[in-house]
Amino acid sequence: PTHVLGSLRNYLRQEASTADPALLHQRAAEAAAATERAVLRRVRPLRRSVARLLIGRARALWGYREQWKDDLSRIWAAARELLWPIGEALAAEGRLGTPSDVFFLDLREVGAILDDAREDARQLVRKRRETYEAELKRRRVPAVFLSDGTDVSISGPADATAAGAVGNGASPGVARGRARVVLDPVGATIEPGEILVAPSTDPGWTPLFLTAAGLVMEKGAPMCHGAVVAREFGIPAVVGVANATSLIRTGQLLEIDGATGRVTLVSELSESGAP
């Protein structure tokens, strides 16, 4: 229940204010209803009922956009359970170094090695593991990869300085607050009004968004997890800021612009608040 407890902990830390999550969601619901009414007024009467039905279905079902990720995770888990005994058998025969090496082969290659008792995939797996280990050391993941592996950058300048940096604006608005650099969400807390600075985020980070005034991420693009959640919570976000967690320190006063993607260091403060 770590995720749920983290959410509750941050809810309790959030005082009633304009940043209160419940108030934000209420205002968002009211704004959505007003937008729906405005749209329907512009639709001809004969089409209005159809438009109302489509809007209602979109609003009711949009949350299921994450369902396919859950289904895919379950499929991968089932595939791993089926492949693991094969990896154990091939490792026992000396044709793989370890059972987990089987996950560095595609299904066609696994079939080939099972059909030919003389087939040895250790050298192939070794090369792929080297590439895998190198990729894990990346400090910055490109926002876009072409299908042939080409790195295509859509962000602003890739470097940042002590005075500021430029990334991709992902959620509009301007926020000013102290930076809170977090590398791992487990056990981390964000004081109300602080700006979360992270390498990247996934659903495990969501409780921290409850109290954050803004978000700066090293990785990601406008449709990544952090950007989407920031827009849902109504906080400014800038993503794709290279080396942000190294160049920004906890306690520094930042100003971020989620429209232009600019991150500016206003001044440096210690964690206690002293200049």
Side-chain angles (χ1 to χ4, degrees), residues 27-232:
R27 288 179 175 175
E30 293 171 353
T35 301
E36 179 180 348
R37 290 192 296 270
V39 169
L40 292 175
R41 282 196 298 267
R42 297 200 299 268
V43 179
R44 285 181 288 180
L46 293 178
R47 298 183 178 180
R48 193 167 296 158
S49 59
V50 175
R52 184 181 291 108
L53 173 65
L54 294 176
I55 292 173
R57 289 295 82 196
R59 294 186 64 187
L61 301 176
W62 191 256
Y64 287 101
R65 68 190 187 277
E66 300 295 328
Q67 182 65 42
W68 71 271
K69 294 182 181 179
D70 180 66
D71 293 338
L72 188 60
S73 297
R74 293 175 185 273
I75 292 171
W76 284 124
R80 288 177 66 88
E81 288 183 7
L82 293 172
L83 285 171
W84 183 259
I86 297 175
E88 288 181 318
L90 293 175
E93 295 173 7
R95 293 194 284 165
L96 288 179
T98 66
S100 63
D101 284 351
V102 73
F103 301 129
F104 286 85
L105 303 171
D106 62 34
L107 295 181
R108 181 181 55 187
E109 291 166 339
V110 172
I113 195 173
L114 289 174
D115 291 338
D116 187 349
R118 295 171 298 177
E119 188 77 22
D120 188 328
R122 285 177 295 181
Q123 184 175 355
L124 175 62
V125 169
R126 189 178 303 114
K127 291 181 180 179
R128 290 178 179 174
R129 272 195 181 275
E130 289 174 357
T131 301
Y132 175 74
E133 304 267 339
E135 289 294 328
L136 285 180
K137 295 177 182 178
R138 277 184 181 265
R139 286 291 298 166
R140 182 172 181 270
V141 176
V144 176
F145 271 121
L146 299 184
S147 57
D148 62 359
T150 303
D151 174 355
V152 179
S153 176
I154 64 171
S155 63
D159 58 331
T161 67
V166 176
N168 296 311
S171 180
V174 176
R176 178 179 287 201
R178 294 186 190 179
R180 176 69 64 174
V181 179
V182 179
L183 302 180
D184 187 339
V186 178
T189 57
I190 299 288
E191 295 292 337
E194 289 185 327
I195 295 176
L196 172 62
V197 181
S200 64
T201 67
D202 57 40
W205 291 72
T206 304
L208 300 179
F209 284 72
L210 296 172
T211 47
L215 170 70
V216 176
M217 290 200 315
E218 290 184 338
K219 306 170 186 175
M223 287 306 294
C224 70
H225 170 269
V228 172
V229 174
R231 291 194 292 270
E232 291 177 345

